[in-house]
Amino acid sequence: MVSVSVIIGSESDKELGEAAMEMLKAFDVDSELRVLSAHRNPKQLADYVEKSEAKVFITIAGLAAALPGVVAAHTVKPVIGVPKEVKLGGIDALLSIVQMPTGIPVATVGIDSAKNAGLLAVEILALSDISLNNKIVDYRRKRASSG
Ligand code: RP5
């Protein structure tokens, strides 16, 4: 069982997926990466999300980025969406991900902000893990003192 599932819409999103996983690893949070497109693999995606034991999903996609919303439709666990810049400066993906209808939220981070997605996932897990909470406090303290 992994704590965080990182789902990317295409192999071409791999760099951002790995950036999110690196951040998770820095806090000793285990994760797994899956390449599943909302448009190309809709059935496999639904099946994977419904069976997953992960506590948080990080979803990364560009263009008409349906992936985060579709993942959120198949789980009641927290879903974080990362819009990826492919065309239009990433605004297309940002608007697709952030403008979810009432009832199916996606926590959207900035365009290409995979590291922040990783950190947000750590913060969610830290709500029920005091040692993880302390690691975040340390991380913030170090960043504050490094200018
Ligand atoms: C989206 O379309 C993917 O998330 C990716 O960011 C974008 C382009 O995908 P490829 O054409 O590179 O597979 O579905």
Side-chain angles (χ1 to χ4, degrees):
M1 172 185 153
V2 288
S3 301
V4 179
S5 166
V6 179
I7 309 176
I8 55 178
S10 165
E11 287 284 346
S12 61
D13 303 325
K14 209 161 192 175
E15 204 174 309
L16 285 185
E18 286 171 352
M21 292 175 87
E22 263 173 44
M23 185 58 84
L24 293 163
K25 200 172 170 197
F27 289 88
D28 297 316
V29 171
D30 55 329
S31 62
E32 67 180 11
L33 183 74
R34 287 286 182 283
V35 186
L36 288 166
S37 162
H39 298 115
R40 296 165 176 150
N41 321 104
K43 289 203 173 88
Q44 295 97 312
L45 176 64
D47 197 44
Y48 168 72
V49 171
E50 283 167 9
K51 287 186 181 144
S52 173
E53 292 184 344
K55 293 178 178 159
V56 182
F57 291 93
I58 293 175
T59 52
I60 304 172
L63 303 177
L67 179 66
V70 170
V71 171
H74 288 282
T75 182
V76 296
K77 296 170 185 171
V79 177
I80 301 168
V82 183
K84 185 190 165 194
E85 179 182 0
V86 179
K87 302 265 186 181
L88 307 176
I91 294 293
D92 46 355
L94 172 65
L95 297 180
S96 298
I97 295 172
V98 79
Q99 289 294 351
M100 287 297 293
T102 300
I104 313 287
V106 169
T108 310
V109 296
I111 296 167
D112 290 345
S113 296
K115 286 185 182 175
N116 260 1
L119 265 178
L120 184 54
V122 174
E123 290 181 359
I124 292 167
L125 296 171
L127 288 170
S128 56
D129 183 336
I130 187 66
S131 80
L132 204 47
N133 183 82
N134 292 340
K135 283 184 193 174
I136 298 169
V137 172
D138 272 358
Y139 172 83
R140 293 265 183 115
R141 203 175 281 142
K142 278 181 196 147
R143 286 187 69 84
S145 60
S146 69

